[in-house]
Amino acid sequence: MSQTSLLLERLGALIQRSVRDDAARHGLLPIHLQVLLFLMRANRYSDLPIAIAEYFGITRGTVSQTIAVLERKGLLTREADARHGKRVHLTLTAAGKSVLNRSWVERVEQALCEQAVEAATLESTLRNLLSVMQRSNGQRAFGLCRECAHFLTEQSGARCGLTHEPLATEQTVRICREWSAAKAERA
Ligand code: SF4
């Protein structure tokens, strides 16, 4: 057996503990903090309750309860979609963003900076591993928009080839529930 699986298991356990500790400092549960982090990174097709349920593999009931808590604490707001009926977008408030300051993410980033490894290579390896495991578990990949098979660059800027809508630059570096692997990767 390779040591890599065991190392990933230990890292996962340590990160889970850090998430628990960070959440407790703010009087939150780990899932509350994880949802805030997800919304910070999600694009406009994914800042939705259904996307949260898919991303974490939790029920819509749990998502509703989580959103209600975060809203009550003033950490996020809901905004109705101007064009799609009952769809509701979720946005972090300034207080919600500040909860994520000095979180476990920064500590991991700091530790990574201290390693003599090529960050891009490590990221690519981990992303590929995640992709394989998500596929075998039947989960959506939630990849980066600008790395999606549907991503188009035109003279006027970026566009989504799936929805045919223009994409603001800040949206292209976010994650998306509609993401699809590039054709070369799928072959
Ligand atoms: S290009 Fe892909 S990742 Fe980006 S918004 Fe469209 S479907 Fe989502």
Side-chain angles (χ1 to χ4, degrees):
M1 181 193 295
S2 117
Q3 286 297 303
T4 309
S5 310
L6 299 177
L7 291 170
L8 286 170
E9 189 270 341
R10 293 303 302 139
L11 274 170
L14 272 171
I15 289 174
Q16 280 303 318
R17 181 174 176 167
S18 293
V19 173
R20 272 201 309 275
D21 292 346
D22 285 355
R25 263 198 296 282
H26 296 281
L28 300 170
L29 295 175
I31 188 64
H32 299 150
L33 199 67
Q34 289 170 303
V35 166
L36 290 176
L37 185 58
F38 169 78
L39 290 173
M40 185 90 154
R41 301 168 58 224
N43 74 356
R44 69 174 193 258
Y45 302 118
S46 312
D47 55 0
L48 314 167
I50 179 70
I52 295 173
E54 290 168 351
Y55 189 84
F56 292 104
I58 56 180
T59 65
R60 290 186 188 208
T62 304
V63 173
S64 296
Q65 288 169 11
T66 300
I67 292 169
V69 169
L70 295 173
E71 201 176 14
R72 204 164 52 240
K73 287 178 173 282
L75 303 179
L76 63 75
T77 56
R78 302 171 194 242
E79 189 185 329
D81 188 297
R83 288 188 297 166
H84 297 96
K86 294 179 181 166
R87 188 180 292 178
V88 170
H89 296 277
L90 303 165
T91 309
L92 265 62
T93 60
K97 287 177 189 165
S98 76
V99 163
L100 297 176
N101 288 342
R102 294 184 295 282
S103 73
W104 66 272
V105 179
E106 283 184 27
R107 297 196 292 281
V108 170
E109 298 274 342
Q110 178 65 40
L112 277 172
C113 285
E114 291 164 9
Q115 307 307 307
V117 290
E118 175 58 52
T121 306
L122 179 61
E123 186 177 319
S124 168
T125 303
L126 289 175
R127 183 178 298 133
N128 290 340
L129 175 63
L130 179 64
S131 256
V132 169
M133 296 193 69
Q134 283 170 325
R135 270 204 296 278
S136 67
N137 281 294
Q139 285 183 301
R140 287 178 187 254
F142 280 87
L144 265 192
C145 178
R146 66 182 175 198
E147 296 171 358
C148 173
H150 302 298
F151 184 76
L152 303 172
T153 42
E154 302 173 341
Q155 273 191 333
S156 54
R159 181 176 296 277
C160 173
L162 189 67
T163 64
H164 305 292
E165 293 179 333
L167 297 166
T169 306
E170 58 94 15
Q171 290 284 312
T172 66
V173 292
R174 291 176 171 241
I175 56 174
C176 178
R177 68 191 288 252
E178 303 293 353
W179 184 89
S180 178
K183 292 179 185 68
E185 284 178 42
R186 283 181 291 181

